[in-house]
Amino acid sequence: MRKTIVLCIVLAFALAAGGCAPKFTLNKPQYENIKKVAVVEYTVPSKIEFRDDPQKAGGKITLADVAKAALKMLSGDGTKASTEAHKSFIETLNQQGLSFVAISPEEMYGNPDFTALHKPAAVAMPESDSSMMGKFGSMIKQQMSADPGKSPKMLNSYGLAVNWASGTALNGKGVETKYLLDSIKALGVDAVIVVNDPGFSFSCEFCVAGTGAASTGSAYIVAMVGRNGEVILEIKEWFLTTDEQAALVAGVVNPLEQNDLYREHGRKTAIVFAKFLKEALAGKR
């Protein structure tokens, strides 16, 4: 009995230790049939703020007190961030030697059947469950994440993942599935990709009291959904910084350089995602 208890404790610690490792879903036979995709969701926080660790929702950066006040007050715009990151994500994804091609934003937005699917965020969200348990679950979710997230103006959004480690890219249930399937039909693609990046945040490099150089960090979830509504893959990954930096003075990221940070963020997201996917396909994950 004692040995059994010890074994259970060891196993529990092992599972807890592995809990931070990126987990993934991959249906390889279905993936191999995908040749053309569209990235039809890209959700990020409403405000891009500083975080010490993008994997933790409450992980605001720990600088000197004089800088903290400024960092809490000043932030980047989520709509701009998602728009720029979405463009560079698609462009970079097509440079990674994967077996599928993602159509361009111009092709997506130039398709009237696709743009007709767009709904404002408040309308796009699924109706709440009217049952007692449904109301309770909705209340808990709202308490855990008051931020519905932002997306490019012409893409639907179904909410920011509440928690990166245990969350999912798909939060809209039936109405989101309908949007994804309608998008596949309208755009003539084999599958659609959803990017949900609750960890999109400014990060600090070479900073002293909120002055130095800023970059961005991420903890994101990417899902691919096929023509029958099946989830072909779902991958979680993260990074602390990118290769792009912007001037940071007293907690303020130079507004003229923020778009460069957002574009580089999308580029790195695509690179890290593609690397993970290639390793998973090769059985190295």
Side-chain angles (χ1 to χ4, degrees):
M1 177 64 74
R2 184 173 297 175
K3 288 183 178 179
T4 301
I5 293 173
V6 171
L7 179 59
C8 289
I9 293 173
V10 170
L11 180 59
F13 274 111
L15 290 172
C20 293
K23 296 182 176 69
F24 70 95
T25 298
L26 175 60
N27 187 319
K28 193 173 180 180
Q30 288 185 332
Y31 171 81
E32 290 173 345
N33 291 323
I34 304 302
K35 303 302 177 186
K36 189 177 181 181
V37 306
V39 183
V40 297
E41 289 185 46
Y42 204 112
T43 309
V44 309
S46 297
K47 295 181 179 180
I48 310 303
E49 299 179 315
F50 278 87
R51 290 189 192 175
D52 190 31
D53 184 351
Q55 300 172 85
K56 298 177 181 178
K60 297 290 180 8
I61 198 165
T62 54
L63 296 178
D65 290 342
V66 66
K68 283 186 179 179
L71 293 175
K72 289 181 180 179
M73 293 171 58
L74 300 166
S75 57
D77 179 75
T79 300
K80 289 183 180 179
S82 61
T83 300
E84 296 298 333
H86 175 251
K87 292 177 185 176
S88 59
F89 177 85
I90 292 173
E91 180 180 347
T92 307
L93 196 62
N94 286 334
Q95 299 169 353
Q96 302 309 302
L98 296 172
S99 58
F100 62 83
V101 173
I103 65 175
S104 69
E106 291 76 17
E107 187 174 351
M108 292 167 58
Y109 300 145
N111 184 315
D113 292 332
F114 174 70
T115 55
L117 302 175
H118 175 66
K119 294 181 179 180
V123 179
M125 290 300 290
E127 294 182 5
S128 59
D129 187 343
S130 60
S131 68
M132 185 64 70
M133 286 301 295
K135 290 180 179 178
F136 177 75
S138 177
M139 179 183 69
I140 294 298
K141 185 173 182 179
Q142 287 177 2
Q143 290 177 346
M144 293 177 67
S145 176
D147 184 2
K150 293 291 185 180
S151 63
K153 290 183 178 180
M154 294 307 296
L155 299 186
N156 285 6
S157 175
Y158 296 90
L160 197 63
V162 174
N163 183 285
W164 172 74
S166 61
T168 174
L170 306 172
N171 298 290
K173 300 182 181 179
V175 290
E176 183 175 22
T177 300
K178 184 178 186 307
Y179 166 68
L180 298 178
L181 295 182
D182 288 346
S183 296
I184 290 173
K185 182 178 179 180
L187 296 169
V189 295
D190 301 314
V192 287
I193 285 178
V194 172
V195 181
N196 200 304
D197 191 349
F200 197 141
S201 53
F202 288 132
S203 58
C204 201
E205 292 188 313
F206 316 115
C207 298
V208 178
T211 297
S215 185
T216 60
S218 174
Y220 63 86
I221 313 170
V222 175
M224 178 185 287
V225 177
R227 289 179 174 174
N228 295 319
E230 71 280 14
V231 176
I232 297 171
L233 65 82
E234 184 167 78
I235 288 174
K236 297 178 181 180
E237 258 290 20
W238 67 284
F239 53 85
L240 283 174
T241 62
T242 72
D243 292 336
E244 186 71 32
Q245 295 180 346
L248 177 67
V249 180
V252 181
V253 180
N254 182 1
L256 299 179
E257 296 181 289
Q258 287 186 16
N259 281 351
D260 291 338
L261 290 183
Y262 301 152
R263 283 190 285 269
E264 179 63 17
H265 187 100
R267 191 185 81 87
K268 182 155 186 178
T269 300
I271 291 172
V272 176
F273 162 71
K275 181 176 183 292
F276 189 112
L277 177 56
K278 289 176 183 178
E279 290 176 354
L281 289 168
K284 296 179 181 179
R285 287 279 185 171

